């Protein structure tokens, strides 16, 4: 573990704190029970959204992935159509429509522009969701950010150097995007699906649109 697990939540989503505790637990548990051979951050958007949904159900929410939602057409102003959202959550009177994006961030990159593009796309998708009339409805844009490193770099760096670099990435994400909530876990290195690089953990940010 390169950095201690972390949660930061701002109004009006204060009640997400417990959900995010469950999410952290599951991120670490997958890595642990697989004997460090698998992790949600080794996968892509769908698996990460599935784990977020699992955390929500452990916290008392009802979760549906890839379900129908009313959308505003991206190219025809004012026109609506039936599309899909990545995740819907219900608990008591609360209802959330969540759009998510996933990005792998090379730790050797000179800027965080890749993260910015992914998060802006999540915000754009979320802003096209229309109200379904539920009480306390909120549209939330979520981005999963996975810092990745080349095996050669990993072997050449000390744990302290890796931790320092991760702190820089976290600080840059927070200052650039001012998320409504932010959480992260860095259980350890794992081979990425479809890539020769290693994933170190995942940063989850969300913003109400």
């Amino acid at each position: 573990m390169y950095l201690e697990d972390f949660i930061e939540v701002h109004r009006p989503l204060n009640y997400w704190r417990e959900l995010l505790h469950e999410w952290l637990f599951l991120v670490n548990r997958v890595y642990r029970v697989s004997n460090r051979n698998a992790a949600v951050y080794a996968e892509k958007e769908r698996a990460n959204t599935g784990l977020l949904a699992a955390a929500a159900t452990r916290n008392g929410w009802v979760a549906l992935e890839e379900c129908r939602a009313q959308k505003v057409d991206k190219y025809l102003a004012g026109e609506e159509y039936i599309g899909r959202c990545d995740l819907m959550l219900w608990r008591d009177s609360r209802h959330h429509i969540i759009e998510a994006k996933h990005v792998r961030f090379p730790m050797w990159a000179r800027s965080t522009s890749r993260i910015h593009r992914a998060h802006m796309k999540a915000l754009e998708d979320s802003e096209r969701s229309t109200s379904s009339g539920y009480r306390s409805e909120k549209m939330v844009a979520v981005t999963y950010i996975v810092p990745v490193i080349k095996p050669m770099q990993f072997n050449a760096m000390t744990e302290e150097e890796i931790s320092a670099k991760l702190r820089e990435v976290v600080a840059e994400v927070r200052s650039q995007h001012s998320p409504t909530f932010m959480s992260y876990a860095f259980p350890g290195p794992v081979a990425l699906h479809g890539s020769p690089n290693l994933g170190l953990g995942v940063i989850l940010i969300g913003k109400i649109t």
Side-chain angles (χ1 to χ4, degrees), residues 138-204:
K138 291 181 175 61
M139 316 299 182
V140 185
V142 161
T143 309
Y144 313 103
I145 304 161
V146 179
V148 304
I149 190 169
K150 296 177 180 178
M152 185 178 297
Q153 289 177 313
F154 178 78
N155 293 329
M157 295 175 72
T158 66
E159 186 170 325
E160 291 74 18
E161 289 172 330
I162 292 173
S163 297
K165 183 61 179 177
L166 288 173
R167 279 192 289 271
E168 289 178 14
V169 175
V170 166
E172 180 67 19
V173 169
R174 180 188 286 110
S175 65
Q176 188 173 32
H177 299 292
S178 301
T180 309
F181 63 81
M182 180 179 195
S183 187
Y184 55 75
F186 297 102
V190 67
L192 295 174
H193 178 71
S195 169
N197 298 320
L198 302 174
L200 299 177
V202 56
I203 304 167
L204 172 63

Side-chain angles (χ1 to χ4, degrees), residues 3-80:
L3 299 179
E4 290 293 324
D5 292 350
F6 176 85
I7 296 173
E8 180 178 85
V9 190
H10 301 287
R11 297 181 65 185
L13 290 181
N14 309 61
Y15 50 86
W16 269 61
R17 186 172 297 276
E18 291 181 358
L19 190 162
L20 293 172
H21 274 292
E22 295 289 356
W23 176 77
L24 287 173
F25 171 78
L26 292 175
V27 171
N28 285 290
R29 189 180 185 198
V30 171
Y31 189 67
R32 184 177 67 253
V33 301
S34 69
N35 198 27
R36 303 180 179 183
N37 291 314
V40 69
Y41 48 90
E43 308 299 328
K44 295 190 177 180
E45 180 187 311
R46 188 68 185 271
N48 278 272
T49 298
L51 195 79
L52 182 61
T57 58
R58 286 174 58 93
N59 189 229
W61 294 81
V62 172
L64 283 178
E65 298 177 59
E66 290 293 321
C67 51
R68 289 181 298 173
Q70 195 80 6
K71 297 279 189 176
V72 175
D73 193 281
K74 186 175 181 179
Y75 303 104
L76 299 174
E79 293 292 324
E80 295 187 6

Side-chain angles (χ1 to χ4, degrees), residues 103 105 112-120 145 169 173 177:
V103 59
F105 176 67
T112 57
S113 60
R114 183 180 296 198
I115 295 173
H116 178 74
R117 288 194 300 271
H119 189 53
M120 292 305 293
I145 304 161
V169 175
V173 169
H177 299 292

